[in-house]
Amino acid sequence: MQDKMTDVALDKTDPAGSLPSTEKEPDDIIEENNQENPPATAAEGEGAAGGLYRYIKGDLFTSEIFKVEIQNLPKYIGFNDLKKFLNKHGVNPHKIKLFSKQMFAFVTFKNQEERDKAMKAVHGMQWKSKVLSVRLAKPKADPILKKRKQEEEAEGPLNIQIANAVTPLWNVPYEEQLKRKEKEVEGVLQKLTREIGNNNKAMLPWLFLQKEKYNKLCCPLEAIRPSPVQTEYRNKCEFVIGVGADGEDKTVGFRLGKYKGGSCAVVSPAETSHVSSEAKRVVQGFQQFIRTTPYAVYSPETYEGHWRQLTVRTSRIKQTMAIVFFNPQKLQEEEIEELKRNLRQYFTEGEGQESAITSLYFVRMGQRTSAGTEDLPCEHVTGEEWIHEELLGLKFRISPHSFFQTNTPAAEVLYSAVGEWAQLDQDSTVLDVCCGTGTIGISLAKVRRQNGIIIALFLSPMIDSNFKCTFSGLTNVEFHCGKAEDVFPTVLNAVVSPNVTAIVDPPRAGLHSKVILAIRRAEHLKRLIYVACNAKAAMNNFTDLCRAVSNRVRGAPFRPVRAMAVDLFPQTMHCETILLFERVDYSSETQTTET
């Protein structure tokens, strides 16, 4: 029998029921002759580490408070054996953790009465020639807080720790970074090659030839295009607010690790390489402001506090937008309005002037908000309502929730490559799906003057784009506001053009299945350029574009003919991937074969 632990909760009312306990630790046991309430004593005795046991003092029930250890169990018994034995003698455990080879188990109860009853009933009882002994045990330390404490004690300067957290390739030469990213994309193409072979047997002859030509890949992988800038390239950053790793409250910056992984310590972005100096200046000014206010930092653990997040957007023409996220809790409207007035005064007349903010917004982010912040209404506090950015000779107007690539110079490289691959002429129609502020479609319409149709995800970014198109005199662009999966199929069916090209640049999760199925059905759509910020996550989209015709998937399949990575995120492992898909023309291939 393997040496393992069985951890089974007998009902689902115990929030601590999932606490891990993979090995017996000496300090888990408290002798019977200790005082009556050992859990409280244990927590208090830990001093600064008392927070590791804080959960047992809250209002939520946890059976960890009423916990005993049963020792000297018979060999080779299982969880069900122990449960039946205890039930037989009138003992009703709440949770059992059985350590099979070490012949002991932790057992918890719903209250002290049941615990004490079990101790009297089981202690000294004989089971299979073994005399059982029972003693009190203290609760396990909260695993999240325990991990957090370990991370806080980790060695190394904070600037190195935060660099490793947010820019893990900061100490890797840039040429090596590019090689690693290209290798990642090569792995994606290898998987796509396998998926095509598994899901479309008719493509196997073509796939065999492609693999022979392109080193076992389904299409050629062109050399990765680097970012023109490798530092201070981010034009949008989201900063959390919390207790600093140095112990300073109301620190604005990045977490050393993910919150769900147990890390809450926040470090200033002052020494990070990817954040712009303009954004760092805003962070410093905002931090000074909130430290003068009586409002606490919001705690995801207790749901108390107010300050939640700061988002900073900057542009190459030296405009800066700050968006403050605040939980109003039960504050009166007068207090919130006064806070907004103080913010306005601080950044326009006070010390915050040095932050050079040109647009300031305030967002009320309520209790336990888990959805994306893009749906929350933004209250304009001061300055312009937008900031502007120039890209490929065009000026775009960016609102708080607008999507815009975070590395503008590299985005120009990306969109120029898309323009090259699109091979547009005077008869071309472009469908720009998931277009954010419409950067791809508008830039192509400006340069090529072809008919362009842009499909938007959100209404407010489209208002910005529509204004700029009118301002720039672009008359060959149409706007269709709404979710791509709702609008795209209708618009696609209405397009009459000999040369239709779709360009999709979806969020990380990829395109909605409705969009993919509409693309497959529209046989007049011959070419598709897919821009993926996470090519691995988009694999289902790639496969559905190429899979064989079925009852669910109608229309001739596509196949990849070109791929390339573009680095928009130096110092990290992320990059954008462009894939060009072309519709399979079976009739043309048949004629070629017969000839």
Side-chain angles (χ1 to χ4, degrees):
M1 183 179 293
Q2 294 181 346
D3 186 7
K4 63 180 181 179
M5 178 196 71
T6 302
D7 182 0
V8 181
L10 303 184
D11 65 42
K12 297 181 180 179
T13 61
D14 184 359
S18 60
L19 292 177
S21 179
T22 56
E23 61 181 359
K24 179 179 177 183
E25 298 175 0
D27 63 352
D28 272 341
I29 308 305
I30 296 179
E31 297 296 339
E32 282 188 76
N33 58 5
N34 278 4
Q35 50 186 310
E36 185 171 347
N37 192 354
T41 303
E44 291 163 3
E46 292 290 339
L52 300 179
Y53 300 91
R54 184 173 59 197
Y55 72 95
I56 68 173
K57 296 183 178 181
D59 294 332
L60 295 175
F61 163 73
T62 171
S63 64
E64 286 286 313
I65 300 175
F66 312 110
K67 182 177 178 180
V68 300
E69 181 194 13
I70 303 178
Q71 296 181 319
N72 203 31
L73 292 169
K75 290 183 178 180
Y76 311 124
I77 64 164
F79 166 79
N80 287 329
D81 298 323
L82 179 56
K83 180 184 174 184
K84 289 178 182 177
F85 175 81
L86 294 175
N87 290 155
K88 177 182 176 182
H89 293 87
V91 175
N92 297 308
H94 177 69
K95 185 178 65 174
I96 296 173
K97 294 180 181 179
L98 177 62
F99 297 77
S100 54
K101 277 196 173 181
Q102 299 186 46
M103 295 180 291
F104 73 93
F106 287 120
V107 182
T108 65
F109 300 88
K110 291 185 177 180
N111 54 53
Q112 184 173 331
E113 182 182 354
E114 291 188 7
R115 182 197 69 186
D116 293 346
K117 175 185 173 183
M119 292 184 71
K120 291 177 182 178
V122 178
H123 187 68
M125 185 177 289
Q126 185 168 331
W127 185 20
K128 294 184 179 181
S129 74
K130 292 284 187 177
V131 178
L132 307 182
S133 66
V134 184
R135 57 183 181 179
L136 297 172
K138 78 175 184 181
K140 294 293 294 181
D142 186 316
I144 293 179
L145 294 179
K146 187 174 181 180
K147 180 177 179 181
R148 186 180 304 159
K149 184 172 181 288
Q150 292 171 346
E151 289 181 352
E152 289 172 354
E153 295 172 352
E155 296 181 355
L158 288 177
N159 63 328
I160 300 298
Q161 291 185 49
I162 196 63
N164 290 335
V166 299
T167 49
L169 301 184
W170 65 273
N171 60 347
V172 177
Y174 190 55
E175 287 301 319
E176 177 60 26
Q177 293 184 35
L178 295 177
K179 289 179 182 177
R180 294 186 188 183
K181 296 181 184 190
E182 200 166 60
K183 196 71 176 175
E184 283 286 312
V185 176
E186 184 179 331
V188 170
L189 291 181
Q190 289 172 344
K191 183 175 181 181
L192 178 56
T193 303
R194 293 192 297 271
E195 292 295 328
I196 293 173
N198 293 335
N199 291 279
N200 195 331
K201 302 302 181 186
M203 278 199 198
L204 286 176
W206 169 85
L207 197 60
F208 178 79
L209 293 175
Q210 294 292 99
K211 290 168 69 174
E212 286 288 314
K213 287 183 188 176
Y214 305 116
N215 193 26
K216 300 182 179 180
L217 300 181
C218 54
C219 67
L221 175 59
E222 300 181 14
I224 185 172
R225 297 196 183 181
S227 170
V229 292
Q230 288 87 53
T231 59
E232 297 193 19
Y233 60 83
R234 288 196 66 93
N235 57 38
K236 179 184 178 183
C237 289
E238 296 177 348
F239 302 102
V240 297
I241 307 170
V243 178
D246 56 2
E248 287 286 338
D249 193 17
K250 300 182 185 177
T251 297
V252 184
F254 297 118
R255 282 201 182 99
L256 283 176
K258 293 183 178 179
Y259 177 79
K260 66 180 180 181
S263 176
C264 261
V266 178
V267 177
S268 165
E271 296 187 58
T272 54
S273 61
H274 65 323
V275 179
S276 68
S277 56
E278 292 84 1
K280 292 175 183 177
R281 194 162 55 234
V282 174
V283 167
Q284 182 62 28
F286 179 69
Q287 181 175 277
Q288 290 176 359
F289 173 80
I290 64 174
R291 286 179 176 177
T292 66
T293 69
Y295 306 114
V297 171
Y298 177 79
S299 169
E301 295 173 321
T302 64
Y303 305 113
E304 299 172 344
H306 301 276
W307 299 113
R308 297 198 64 164
Q309 178 180 306
L310 172 70
T311 296
V312 181
R313 307 191 74 152
T314 57
S315 70
R316 294 192 290 187
I317 57 176
K318 302 304 178 184
Q319 294 183 351
T320 301
M321 176 184 290
I323 309 161
V324 176
F325 293 83
F326 185 85
N327 190 325
Q329 299 289 7
K330 297 181 180 180
L331 293 180
Q332 297 296 317
E333 185 63 28
E334 293 79 7
E335 291 182 77
I336 297 175
E337 288 301 319
E338 182 182 1
L339 175 60
K340 289 163 62 177
R341 285 193 296 271
N342 291 339
L343 271 168
R344 182 186 306 114
Q345 191 278 332
Y346 176 81
F347 283 111
T348 58
E349 302 173 20
E351 296 180 18
Q353 286 185 86
E354 297 181 2
S355 302
I357 291 175
T358 58
S359 177
L360 179 62
Y361 280 89
F362 185 88
V363 177
R364 306 184 195 211
M365 194 172 181
Q367 190 79 332
R368 307 190 188 193
T369 300
S370 58
T373 58
E374 64 272 3
D375 294 327
L376 298 174
C378 297
E379 302 172 36
H380 183 239
V381 177
T382 189
E384 299 291 330
E385 293 186 34
W386 306 273
I387 62 172
H388 298 85
E389 181 61 295
E390 292 182 348
L391 183 145
L392 295 175
L394 290 165
K395 181 178 283 189
F396 291 88
R397 196 167 69 176
I398 301 172
S399 60
H401 291 326
S402 295
F403 171 77
F404 199 89
Q405 289 287 2
T406 57
N407 182 342
T408 305
E412 292 183 320
V413 175
L414 175 69
Y415 297 158
S416 296
V418 170
E420 294 169 14
W421 289 21
Q423 297 180 359
L424 304 176
D425 55 33
Q426 292 297 324
D427 297 322
S428 297
T429 294
V430 175
L431 306 178
D432 185 2
V433 189
C434 307
C435 62
T437 49
T439 45
I440 298 178
I442 292 175
S443 60
L444 293 179
K446 176 75 173 180
V447 174
R448 302 285 182 176
R449 294 287 176 180
Q450 81 286 344
N451 298 317
I453 298 177
I454 296 180
I455 298 176
L457 284 173
F458 303 104
L459 180 62
S460 56
M462 283 296 83
I463 293 175
D464 294 349
S465 297
N466 200 7
F467 173 85
K468 290 318 297 179
C469 284
T470 303
F471 182 81
S472 302
L474 295 178
T475 58
N476 56 339
V477 177
E478 297 178 12
F479 292 91
H480 300 268
C481 301
K483 292 183 178 180
E485 58 267 27
D486 297 333
V487 180
F488 182 72
T490 302
V491 175
L492 180 56
N493 291 333
V495 172
V496 179
S497 172
N499 186 2
V500 182
T501 299
I503 300 171
V504 298
D505 185 7
R508 287 187 183 277
L511 285 173
H512 194 283
S513 59
K514 284 184 180 179
V515 179
I516 292 291
L517 295 178
I519 290 172
R520 283 292 301 265
R521 287 194 301 268
E523 300 254 9
H524 59 297
L525 175 58
K526 303 298 185 183
R527 308 174 82 247
L528 172 73
I529 299 175
Y530 197 120
V531 181
C533 59
N534 186 338
K536 290 181 179 178
M539 184 57 66
N540 286 339
N541 281 178
F542 300 160
T543 304
D544 283 343
L545 287 169
C546 301
R547 72 171 61 251
V549 176
S550 66
N551 290 333
R552 183 179 76 91
V553 183
R554 306 293 179 87
F558 287 82
R559 58 191 179 195
V561 296
R562 238 175 140 178
M564 181 175 69
V566 180
D567 185 21
L568 269 75
F569 314 101
Q571 324 309 329
T572 77
M573 274 304 297
H574 302 294
C575 67
E576 297 276 334
T577 305
I578 314 175
L579 278 89
L580 173 61
F581 291 89
E582 290 185 351
R583 180 88 63 174
V584 176
D585 186 352
Y586 287 119
S587 60
S588 174
E589 291 189 357
T590 303
Q591 292 174 5
T592 302
T593 304
E594 291 174 353
T595 302

